Each structure stands twice: as C-alpha cells, then as structure tokens.
Amino acid sequence: ISSQSYNIFERLFQLPEYQAASSVGLFLSMPEGEIKTNEACRRVLNEGKTLFVPRVGLDFEQCDMELIRVPSTDVDSHLNEEGDMFYSNWPKNKWNIPEAPINERYTSAAPGDIDLLVVPGLGFDKSGGRLGQGKGYYDRFIHKMRSNQEADKKEVETKPLLVAVAMEPSLLEAEVAIPMMDHDFRMDMIISPNESITVKN
C-alpha cells in the first residue's frame, strides 16, 4: 500500500491541475487497508496550498460530511516536527480517523473554496464511475459544493475538480462499468499507480 500510495501521489503532484490549485481537499487515511495520505497532506501544506480535510462528526446515521480548513496555527505547530502531523492531537471517529475538533477555529468549506478534491473509493471504472462505502458522504458533499454552479450555466469551471485515487485492484478494466444512480457524481480524473486518466464527461 505504501509504494502504491507514493506512486499515486507523485502522479497527482505532477498534474497541471494540481499545480494550479490553491486549495485541496484530501481525506485522512484509515489506519489500515487504504491509500496513505499523511505525506501527501504534508506536501500540500509545504507547498503553501490551503488544505481541507473531512469531518463526519458524531451523528453517523445522518451520513453528512463537511471539509474543514486546516488552520495555520495547527500547521505551524506540527508541520516541521519529525514524525508529527497537524492532526496528531485531534479526536478520532469510529473508524479511528482523526477529525478536526468542533470549535470556531475550524471552518467548513463553502462552494468555491476547494479547487481540487481527492476522492477515495472501493472501486472505479475508466468512465469516472465510483463505488464508495454506500453511505453517500462524498456525493452529498460534492452536490453542496457544486449546486450553485449547476444553477448558473454560465459557470466556466466546475469546482471542485474531482480526482479519484485508486490502487491497482480497485481500477476496473475498460469494459467493466460501475452502476451509477442519478445523484452519483462521475470523477473528472482517476489516478492509479501506473496511469492518469482524464474522463471525458
């Protein structure tokens, strides 16, 4: 997992779309079995970009997710300490993933705040279809972020750009498609350890 994670994020960081982004949404990894994002978070912050990370909160039945801006005070405290990260002292949710505390220092992303959103998933097809955990966290969040832009047909760019990250077993062959519902969002790009795919929607 570590080597695949490294290769995926090296590809991501080379994308012109990433280099042009001033703000990035990036998930924090589960302890096991998922792409590792800690070094990617560190690099995003080292490059001076604004980082947003997910917070689900305590009401898991609501299936709602926010992305929280990592404040500069957290970055300054932990970014340059050996082996330490900005989320080291954050509480953890039921999946043992750190989440930002609920207080006024941690503000939620509004539409237009995130230029590029890195999206995890259990599986992806090469047409941008995504199989998530089945709760709809990301689809609801993306809808909130894009709803104003969908109403305004003159909007040239759609934010955030949706970039899926996929380990080798989770990227399906070209002839295999993931079933999509009307409320599901297709990814704009898919990054695997061996290729970068731009989806033509």
Side-chain angles (χ1 to χ4, degrees):
I1 292 178
S2 295
S3 62
Q4 288 199 52
S5 301
Y6 175 83
N7 291 337
I8 287 168
F9 283 111
E10 280 302 300
R11 286 185 173 278
L12 174 72
F13 296 140
Q14 292 170 16
L15 292 177
E17 293 86 351
Y18 168 81
Q19 294 170 6
S22 60
S23 54
V24 176
L26 182 56
F27 62 97
L28 302 182
S29 307
M30 290 188 282
E32 295 182 3
E34 190 172 41
I35 291 172
K36 302 300 181 187
T37 60
N38 55 328
E39 290 305 319
C41 288
R42 191 187 297 274
R43 180 161 171 177
V44 169
L45 293 169
N46 271 331
E47 292 181 355
K49 299 181 188 294
T50 301
L51 177 64
F52 290 83
V53 296
R55 183 172 66 194
V56 175
L58 298 177
D59 188 358
F60 299 109
E61 298 306 317
Q62 191 175 355
C63 298
D64 195 22
M65 180 179 77
E66 301 174 289
L67 260 69
I68 306 299
R69 185 182 189 275
V70 177
S72 58
T73 50
D74 288 32
V75 176
D76 294 340
S77 298
H78 296 295
L79 189 57
N80 296 316
E81 295 182 18
E82 188 69 26
D84 206 359
M85 289 295 291
F86 59 88
Y87 51 75
S88 297
N89 296 321
W90 287 4
K92 295 181 179 179
N93 63 24
K94 73 172 184 177
W95 298 287
N96 211 26
I97 301 171
E99 290 197 350
I102 300 175
N103 64 49
E104 66 278 0
R105 288 180 53 231
Y106 299 96
T107 56
S108 301
D113 283 350
I114 300 175
D115 295 328
L116 185 150
L117 178 63
V118 179
V119 184
L122 299 178
F124 301 93
D125 65 37
K126 294 190 176 182
S127 297
R130 170 181 174 268
L131 177 66
Q133 298 283 355
K135 298 290 187 180
Y137 286 107
Y138 273 88
D139 288 310
R140 287 187 182 88
F141 176 77
I142 295 164
H143 177 74
K144 286 190 293 186
M145 293 299 102
R146 287 187 168 183
S147 57
N148 292 344
Q149 297 170 56
E150 289 174 357
D152 182 4
K153 298 302 182 183
K154 296 179 181 178
E155 185 75 32
V156 176
E157 295 184 64
T158 301
K159 289 187 179 183
L161 183 75
L162 306 179
V163 181
V165 287
M167 289 191 288
E168 286 176 344
S170 58
L171 182 58
L172 304 180
E173 296 298 325
E175 64 273 9
V176 181
I178 291 174
M180 298 283 286
M181 305 290 285
D182 289 343
H183 59 267
D184 293 335
F185 284 89
R186 290 191 181 275
M187 302 295 99
D188 299 308
M189 305 183 76
I190 304 169
I191 310 295
S192 77
N194 299 313
E195 60 182 324
S196 303
I197 300 169
T198 299
V199 178
K200 293 177 170 56
N201 289 326

